[in-house]
Each structure stands twice: as structure tokens, then as C-alpha cells.
Amino acid sequence: MELKAKAYSSSANLGPGYDVLAMAVNLFYDEVFVKIEKSDRISVETVNVSGPFSSYVPIHENTATVAAKEFLKRYGLRAKIKLEIVKNVPVGRGLGSSGATAAATVAALAKAFNISDANGLVEIAAEGERVAAGSPHPDNVAASLLGGVVLIYSRKPLKVVKIPLKVKPKILIISPEPIVIKDKTKYARSLVPKTVPLENVVFNTGRIAALITGLITGDLSLAGEGMEDSIVEPARKPILPLYFEIKEKLKDMGALGVCVSGAGPSILAMFDPNTPKSVIEKIRKYVIKEYRKKGMETHVYNARISDGAKVEVIKG
Amino acid sequence: MELKAKAYSSSANLGPGYDVLAMAVNLFYDEVFVKIEKSDRISVETVNVSGPFSSYVPIHENTATVAAKEFLKRYGLRAKIKLEIVKNVPVGRGLGSSGATAAATVAALAKAFNISDANGLVEIAAEGERVAAGSPHPDNVAASLLGGVVLIYSRKPLKVVKIPLKVKPKILIISPEPIVIKDKTKYARSLVPKTVPLENVVFNTGRIAALITGLITGDLSLAGEGMEDSIVEPARKPILPLYFEIKEKLKDMGALGVCVSGAGPSILAMFDPNTPKSVIEKIRKYVIKEYRKKGMETHVYNARISDGAKVEVIKG
């Protein structure tokens, strides 16, 4: 059997939702071609990696192979699997690149073996993430796999729920060319404090509750206020060039909420769906100018919340 | 002008929502009679306190007088105000007793002076709480004033939002006769850790998001899972007799979620609205038996989420 799966980039945290919230974003997608043959052993191999970010994907032990092995192991299956990865999601920007590859792989296998266990599939794809980030973190993969905005509200056992959205906001992703940091996600996680003052806990629990309320009821102003984080973003200031400098200005110019995308350096800004193009264009120009002043190039992308991974059977 | 206001008891925290979430509960209500006369000075006086818990309310500087003075100050008003308090909400049980008195007072004054600024009114009533608890905490007063389930997602400035509920659950309040602790709320707050391990922050932010999602979408099972708290309840174990011993059993017997009501010792259990009476009755008997084994008497009340404060003009 041959299948082709695509899974979108994603933005984790959304402010106060460190390790629990993520949003699928229709900016970039990875494709994974999966060929499955009968076998009485487990064999998983990546036979090709192409696409603009292919140089970042090791041919052995990448997120796709690890996730595929985990999939077979978990469901007690044996097969010979060959993978071809098309790596389009930029690496190191905080857009869930490794998660997209793992999610596409798992989505294809779920289709092939007719498995519809969302919590289990997210857990498997998160294992794939382990090779990219040092530990399995399920937020990005959950978003890329299921689409929309996802909440992981329990880790052991893993439990995921999709947040129903009344209104789909406009999203702007501001993505500076990253400074190359080895093991970026690991380093970014090491900056997060191990203990947190109670007042920040109160702040963040209040904010995530506002974010969820706003998203479900369609009150995007409230959701935007709910994107404030007092714990993780301040701690990561050293790896977030210009974020704190431009954030309030973006809100003054029309953004309802502004947060760091995953471990950064990308920034996610949320807007009312009816925001005029002229407002977005003005912000785009402002942002590019501000980064240029500091000698940095940045991309500014219009985006939307995307669907989950899509799978096509190429050969039954 | 003469007015009569009533405001219900409330349950703060709901598990992970320490200082940010509370629910109005139709178990008990305080009444406050407010007589307003023209004056060019500010004068606020409690002329009578009656009701079963009147002995706990000082005639000077109670939550009602403090809230009334704060009300006049904040809105630049002058008047002579006389208050009569009927104190029905039990004191020291974690049912927002002092908050109910303050909320009723503020609701009456808001009606009299035609003020509809929810955030401001909650802030004023919370000032009333200061005399009862040592610091203004707005969660109980917000619930008693506005009704339903309220979220305080910002402290400075204070911002309150009512969570829209798709389904109104059945509530059971288990309320052991409290051990008398001087300045209970203050003491209970002192038990809460000043810093929190990051993993507990992740746990609680995930859970409060699940709670809110479940309440708004009507998925009460999810909401119940969202009532788990890894920070405040464990820290308060010394003042929560039997809570941890009976919690899992209550869930096995049919409760969707179980949490401490405010600073305790009362316990709130949430049920599907269609839960048969026989299930509730079985739980009631079990609970009373368990407390009796430990030599404690307990009350078990059927309740519902209540409306906010109600005001009647007695004499225009």
C-alpha cells in the first residue's frame, strides 16, 4: 500500500499554554510518502528526503522513522515501511517543523491500519519528536495531526481535545531568520524556570481561561487578552529578538493578541477576521523596518488556522 | 430610598482556578437592607445584624460597611447609608460568606445610583472582603454579584467575565462542621506555596482550560476532569479533613469532578443534571458515614448554580 500524507506547521503555547495548547497554521506543510509491505519483522527506513529544509532531516532516526516504529510497536503490528519526506516547514523558527513530519507519518499509518485513537496517535507522534527535541512534547504534533486549536489537558495518560472555534481569526506570523542555535528547542526549554511564583501561576491560569472562553464564544478580543504569558516568554527574552520591543505597538496597530510561536523566534499575532488588508500591510511594513534597523531579515506571513493532517491513498 | 438585596453563597477555585474562578451556589443567601438618605458627607453605618450567623459580623467595619464606603468614594458620591444585614450564609465553611454580604450591599447601591460597571463593582465588593480575609480577593464576590461561573482573568485592572454555560450541572456540597480556626481564610492562604514547580503549572493550566472548554461546550465529563488541582489543594491537606480520602470514591460513585470549595473544608462535587436521585442519596449516606467514623458531623446539600445578586426597591 502507498499513501501520501501532508501535515501543516503549528504554533505551540499561544501565550499561557506552555506544553498544553497549540494551533495548526496553514503556512507550510510537510509531505510524507509511505510505502507499506507485508513482513513478519518490523522494518522502517527513510529512503529519501527532499524539499527546502531536507538538509536538517537525518536519513536515519528522524522524527518520521521513530514515530513509525513506535506506531508498529504500540499496536503490535509488523510491516516493512519505506518513507519519503518532503521537508517544507522551516526548521528552527518555532513553527513545529519536526512535529509536522511526525504527524504526517502517523496520519498515513493510521489510515493504512484503520486506527482512530486520537490520544494514542498524538502520543506516538510525540515520541517521534523526542529525536528532534530531547523529550516528547505533544503540543505541536497534536495540532498538526488534528488541526485547529488543540488542548493537551493530561499528560499521563495523554488526553487531547480540540477546542471548538466560533470564529476563525486572521493570523500573522512574523518570522525572523533564526540565529542558528544548536539543539534550539532543548536550549529554549532549559531557559524556562523550574519553579514559578504563585502570582504568575494565578496570572497564567486566568489568562488561559480567558483565551479558551474567547475562542469558543467568538470573543476574539477576550481571546487576545488571554494570550498574555508571565512565565515562559519573559524567561526566553535572550532568544526572542525584538519581541518585547514591538509587541505593544502591534496591539496598538490592531492586533488583538500577540505571543511567541513555540520556542520562537517567530511571533504570532491574532486579528479579527474582518481586519482590513491596509492594517495588515501597515504592520508588515513596520515589522520589516524594525527588524532591518537591528540588521535582521524577517518574513511576515498571512495565515489561517488550518485543518489537520490529510492522507491520500495512492495505491491500495 | 430603601432597597433590599440578596446575594448567594459561592464556591471559589473549582480546582485549578485559585483566585480566578468561582461559582455562585443557590444554597444560602445573605440579605442586606439599605437605606439611603441625602447628605453632604459620607456616612455608613450598620444598624442591625440578624440571622443564624450574625454573631460573626462585627457591627462596625464589616464587609458591608467597608464596601459601601468604597462605593461612595470610588464614584465620588456623598450619602448617609444605613445597613441591616441578615446573615444566613455559614461562616468558615468555604462558601463565600463574607463575599455574599459585600456583594448584596454593592448590588443594592449599584441599583440605587444606577451604576452598571461590573468590573468596578466587583473591585469594590472585594475591598469589603479585605476586612474578613486580610486582602481583597474578588473571586467569591464576583460570583455572588454576577451569578453563574465567573472568571477574573486580570487583577490590575480587574477584569471579570461570566462563563456561558451550555448545561447546568447538579452540584453537591459536602460541608463538615468546621474546626474553628481564627482568621481561617488568612491561614488557608498562608498554606499555599509561594513558588510552584513548573510541572504543576503545566498541569493546572491544562486543567483549567479543560474545565472552561467543558463548561462552555456542555461536556461535563471534560469539565469534571478539569477540576483537578495540583497546587493549592495538596498544600491545604492539613485543613481539609477527609477530602483526599473520599475524593476518588465519590468519582467512582458518579461524580464527574470533585474539588475543595474555596478554602474548605466544604467539598464541591459536580454531576450530570440527569443523575438519578438514588445515586445522590447513596453518596449522601456514604459521606455522612465516613465523617462520622472520624467523629465529625457533616452536612450534604443538593445545590444548583445560582443567579447573581437580586435587588428590590422597597421605597423609592
Side-chain angles (χ1 to χ4, degrees), chain B residues 283-300:
Chain B
I283 289 180
R284 207 183 62 81
K285 282 184 177 157
Y286 161 73
V287 164
I288 288 173
K289 200 185 70 194
E290 288 302 306
Y291 277 91
R292 237 171 234 164
K293 276 192 210 162
K294 301 273 179 188
M296 282 181 275
E297 287 302 311
T298 190
H299 307 265
V300 181

Side-chain angles (χ1 to χ4, degrees), chain B residues 44-57:
Chain B
V44 177
E45 190 190 359
T46 299
V47 294
N48 191 44
V49 185
S50 62
F53 295 90
S54 56
S55 66
Y56 292 91
V57 180

Side-chain angles (χ1 to χ4, degrees), chain A residues 20 151 153-154 159 163-164 192-198 201-202 205-210 212-213 216-217 222 225 231, chain B residues 18 20 151 153-154 159 163-164 192-198 201-202 206-210 212-213 216-217 222 225 231:
Chain A
V20 302
L151 165 68
Y153 67 95
S154 166
K159 293 189 188 180
I163 305 296
V192 179
K194 286 184 181 51
T195 60
V196 177
L198 184 68
V201 180
V202 171
T205 47
R207 293 303 169 130
I208 197 171
I212 299 290
T213 304
I216 304 180
T217 63
L222 178 64
E225 291 190 87
I231 298 171
Chain B
Y18 180 70
V20 303
L151 164 69
Y153 67 94
S154 165
K159 293 189 187 181
I163 305 296
V192 179
K194 285 184 182 54
T195 60
V196 176
L198 184 67
V201 180
V202 171
R207 293 301 170 130
I208 197 171
I212 299 289
T213 304
I216 304 180
T217 63
L222 179 64
E225 291 191 85
I231 299 171

